[in-house]
Amino acid sequence: MQKPKRNTWQREAVRSALSGTEGFVSAQALHQHLRDGGSTIGLATVYRALADLATEGDADSLQQDGESLYRACTTDAHHHHLICRNCGRTVEIEADPVERWAQEVAAANGFTNASHVVDIFGECAVCTAARTGE
């Protein structure tokens, strides 16, 4: 069993900064935000803290253009996301058909204890209206 991580000031600073952001953010952007606020926290520490928060379920993470992005997780339950490509607006969704499909595909191929991540990227209503002028 893995020992719980210590709650250091750096970890709390990252958690607090992440909670104060809208949508997903990169470790570099979060680090810059912390530095702009006067923090002396290092970039490597921000990366470690974000990875730990994601592992523990306190942050959502996704890969976009080869970069890990993070946001504070607002629910403990398994969920998926709708994410606007333009503004980053994120909506947490449940997707029962996806859950059934994932388990069926795993079982049909002899896999057990399967897990998955589903993020759907598109354009939110506000960005669509701005683009189309409606």
Side-chain angles (χ1 to χ4, degrees):
M1 182 162 79
Q2 189 174 355
K3 190 170 118 180
K5 299 282 183 181
R6 285 185 331 159
N7 232 8
T8 63
W9 72 264
Q10 295 96 332
R11 196 172 153 85
E12 283 307 307
V14 169
R15 183 189 312 272
S16 177
L18 191 61
S19 293
T21 62
E22 288 292 319
F24 285 85
V25 64
S26 69
Q28 294 93 343
L30 195 63
H31 176 252
Q32 188 60 54
H33 173 75
L34 287 162
R35 298 294 297 226
D36 290 347
S39 177
T40 59
I41 194 168
L43 180 58
T45 302
V46 172
Y47 271 105
R48 276 192 305 275
L50 287 170
D52 289 343
L53 291 171
T55 299
E56 295 163 4
D58 292 330
D60 290 323
S61 68
L62 61 88
Q63 293 287 315
Q64 187 174 30
D65 300 327
E67 182 175 28
S68 293
L69 302 177
Y70 302 88
R71 78 177 189 115
C73 187
T74 58
T75 181
D76 291 335
H78 178 72
H79 59 279
H80 305 286
H81 304 106
L82 292 170
I83 304 163
C84 181
R85 280 189 200 95
N86 297 325
C87 69
R89 179 174 182 256
T90 303
V91 177
E92 292 181 352
I93 60 169
E94 291 183 23
D96 292 336
V98 171
E99 302 304 323
R100 287 189 297 276
W101 172 81
Q103 293 306 313
E104 290 169 6
V105 169
N109 288 281
F111 281 69
T112 60
N113 299 319
S115 64
H116 62 276
V117 175
V118 175
D119 294 315
I120 302 169
F121 292 87
E123 190 173 69
C124 73
V126 172
C127 289
T128 298
R131 180 178 51 78
T132 61
E134 295 177 14

